Amino acid sequence: MAKEQSKILASRFREVILNGTWIANTNYSKLLSDITVEEANQKVSSLNTIALLTCHINYYIAGVLQVLHGGSLDIRDKYSFDMPEVTSAEQWNQLKEALFDNANSFADAVEKLSDKQLQAGFVKEEYGSYSRNIEGMIEHCYYHMGQISIIKKMIR
């Protein structure tokens, strides 16, 4: 029972990225599955592109995953939208696969956290607990998934 909360958080994270439909009736895997590289790069007014939003989410997942694996928190907000240009379908597929691979690893790492670890401070006191940061990651993912959904509809 000590890891019940971590399993719930990991499940909620998997829902938004990999396989759920409960909250938004979709997930990143489903939403991105039929987007071409041209659509991923298509600019709509001043909005970020789908490729850039995908990279942005992967940047944060990878950065927090590093902490979950015992490393340092090296990501910075000011770099979170820095992305090399995605110029081919192969690069677009690699970006999506990186997102899904990191998401699987992230969920697996969350699932292994004890209740005590979930309540422990995350890197700096002002960042709150591990639990708060994982919940924030889930909310952040839903926020940008909504943007991607709207941009996809606008493009099509």
Side-chain angles (χ1 to χ4, degrees):
M1 194 67 153
K3 293 190 179 190
E4 191 62 33
Q5 185 61 27
S6 62
K7 288 181 179 168
I8 291 168
L9 287 171
S11 177
R12 289 193 57 230
F13 182 79
R14 283 185 182 102
E15 281 181 357
V16 66
I17 302 288
L18 302 168
N19 59 21
T21 58
W22 182 56
I23 299 293
N25 202 33
T26 193
N27 57 65
Y28 276 82
S29 181
K30 183 177 174 185
L31 184 63
L32 299 175
S33 67
D34 65 344
I35 293 176
T36 65
V37 66
E38 294 79 17
E39 290 172 322
N41 285 310
Q42 189 171 335
K43 266 309 256 179
V44 176
S45 187
S46 63
L47 301 176
N48 290 313
T49 65
I50 292 170
L52 187 57
L53 291 168
T54 303
C55 186
H56 173 77
I57 286 297
N58 187 51
Y59 176 82
Y60 277 103
I61 292 170
V64 174
L65 178 60
Q66 182 171 302
V67 175
L68 294 176
H69 284 158
S72 58
L73 182 65
D74 298 332
I75 56 175
R76 300 292 177 263
D77 292 344
K78 67 181 178 180
Y79 301 123
S80 68
F81 283 102
D82 291 353
M83 179 189 85
E85 192 174 353
V86 176
T87 59
S88 69
E90 181 181 356
Q91 288 175 322
W92 172 232
N93 287 330
Q94 288 171 349
L95 175 58
K96 292 186 292 184
E97 286 306 311
L99 171 66
F100 303 139
D101 288 347
N102 283 329
N104 270 312
S105 294
F106 186 94
D108 289 346
V110 167
E111 206 164 43
K112 293 175 184 169
L113 296 173
S114 68
D115 286 347
K116 184 176 180 179
Q117 288 170 307
L118 285 172
Q119 298 316 310
F122 183 84
V123 183
K124 293 182 182 177
E125 186 177 340
E126 69 240 37
Y127 295 164
S129 67
Y130 274 76
S131 179
R132 179 177 188 255
N133 281 271
I134 295 163
E135 290 279 359
M137 180 68 74
I138 294 165
E139 292 168 11
H140 186 221
C141 289
Y142 274 114
Y143 172 77
H144 288 303
M145 187 171 68
Q147 291 177 323
I148 292 170
S149 288
I150 291 168
I151 294 166
K152 183 176 178 180
K153 288 178 182 181
M154 292 171 83
I155 288 169
R156 292 184 174 176

